[in-house]
Amino acid sequence: MKIATYNINGVKARLPRLKEWLEETRPSVACLQEIKSQDKDFPASEFEALGYELIWHGQKSFNGVAILADSKAGYSISEVQRGLGIDGPKEGEGEQSRYLEADITRDGETVRIVCIYLPNGNPQPGPKFDYKLAWMEKLRARMAEIWAEEVPAAVLGDYNVIPHDDDVYSVKAMASDALMQPESRAAYSRLLADGWTDAVRTLNPRGGVWTYWDYQAGAWQRDHGFRIDHILLSPELADRLDAVGVDREHRGREKASDHAPTWAILRD
């Protein structure tokens, strides 16, 4: 089973690149972030034509998440929960589209898949950073509930957290960013302390793996990247971890997202 996460930075703007990636790499399950599309405008038929069954949770112009399951390979998808019940940082804004949870089933085996787009938190300090930390606590509480169900589970997505100094090209360059603040890192560390496994880190303990390169200042060309797209596994899935990777080549294509797809392969 190959599970993947991909912040596509706009489903309509990146649709050709996204379809290429799906066709070329064929993940069993794909979690998408920043679809930036209202539910009614999401191009579901494009993915159904490729043999994917899917659910999505959209929002106009911003945020938005989706989960795709490879129906050609026998996977089916059933929604479990959307949203964490936490309002955005602006007064009266309501909840942002950042959380989607589903059961993926094949041949009688079910895996719980959670797709997240964690708040960026900039500028910090301020209400956006406070929202980020509150959202992370809500996520931790929900992950504890999933843990209590004792189901094989994976929480994938753009966490907007650089966990370690060796997860970034330059500590100095990102020192004041919300992605690297001690509070952000501590909140992420608490998830791991609860028993979840960082799949990419486990197989790359020395770091140096990037999943994001900014569009600005020639970051891609200079390899000025960092790791913020993570795959956290419950013990049931951590024991099945076989391989991880980042599809860097897709970041270099024309009109690509500023993120690269990140994936893990789980043994049967």
Side-chain angles (χ1 to χ4, degrees):
M1 184 182 193
K2 183 178 184 179
I3 59 175
T5 177
Y6 194 2
N7 180 321
I8 56 170
N9 193 14
V11 69
K12 295 174 185 175
R14 317 294 169 200
L15 188 58
R17 300 291 82 80
L18 177 56
K19 290 172 65 177
E20 281 178 357
W21 172 69
L22 289 170
E23 291 178 304
E24 291 173 17
T25 68
R26 203 67 195 184
S28 310
V29 179
C31 293
L32 309 179
Q33 302 88 41
E34 278 202 274
I35 61 175
K36 299 181 180 179
S37 170
Q38 297 182 83
D39 283 345
K40 66 180 180 65
D41 297 325
F42 186 79
S45 61
E46 297 278 355
F47 307 110
E48 291 167 347
L50 296 178
Y52 280 91
E53 184 181 347
L54 66 156
I55 58 174
W56 61 96
H57 180 28
Q59 181 178 341
K60 184 178 181 180
S61 302
F62 298 98
N63 308 321
V65 285
I67 303 175
L68 286 64
D70 186 355
S71 55
K72 279 188 176 180
Y75 293 94
S76 63
I77 186 168
S78 175
E79 183 174 322
V80 175
Q81 178 175 319
R82 60 177 55 205
L84 286 174
I86 179 171
D87 289 342
K90 297 180 182 178
E91 185 175 351
E93 179 181 13
E95 184 162 13
Q96 298 179 349
S97 299
R98 294 181 174 275
Y99 183 95
L100 192 57
E101 180 180 332
D103 281 339
I104 307 295
T105 302
R106 185 177 74 162
D107 297 334
E109 180 189 12
T110 297
V111 173
R112 181 71 52 82
I113 294 290
V114 180
C115 177
I116 69 165
Y117 176 45
L118 206 147
N120 178 284
N122 284 305
Q124 68 84 28
K128 290 188 176 181
F129 190 62
D130 295 340
Y131 170 58
K132 179 192 189 83
L133 299 179
W135 203 95
M136 294 186 78
E137 282 306 304
K138 279 280 192 178
L139 174 65
R140 185 186 182 197
R142 179 55 190 158
M143 289 172 69
E145 292 173 349
I146 296 170
W147 181 281
E149 293 184 41
E150 297 183 349
V151 296
V155 184
L156 304 83
D158 179 354
Y159 281 71
N160 269 316
V161 176
I162 299 171
H164 308 280
D165 285 355
D166 57 13
D167 287 318
V168 60
Y169 77 97
S170 167
V171 172
K172 181 178 180 181
M174 297 296 293
S176 63
D177 197 283
L179 278 61
M180 258 186 56
Q181 293 312 297
E183 298 92 335
S184 304
R185 287 180 161 183
Y188 184 82
S189 294
R190 284 192 287 272
L191 299 179
L192 304 185
D194 287 341
W196 296 83
T197 294
D198 181 334
V200 174
R201 186 73 182 184
T202 296
L203 297 187
N204 296 275
R206 296 183 179 180
V209 176
W210 315 149
T211 67
Y212 171 90
W213 297 258
D214 201 314
Y215 290 130
Q216 306 298 319
W220 168 249
Q221 292 78 6
R222 301 164 71 187
D223 198 26
H224 285 183
F226 43 83
R227 186 173 74 98
I228 53 176
D229 302 275
H230 307 312
I231 300 173
L232 300 194
L233 304 176
S234 70
E236 296 87 350
L237 291 188
D239 288 343
R240 294 167 51 186
L241 181 61
D242 187 59
V244 296
V246 177
D247 293 333
R248 286 178 56 111
E249 188 269 335
H250 284 265
R251 171 60 180 86
R253 297 191 182 186
E254 185 179 0
K255 297 183 179 179
S257 171
D258 42 9
H259 294 249
T262 303
W263 51 265
I265 294 177
L266 309 172
R267 294 184 293 270
D268 292 336

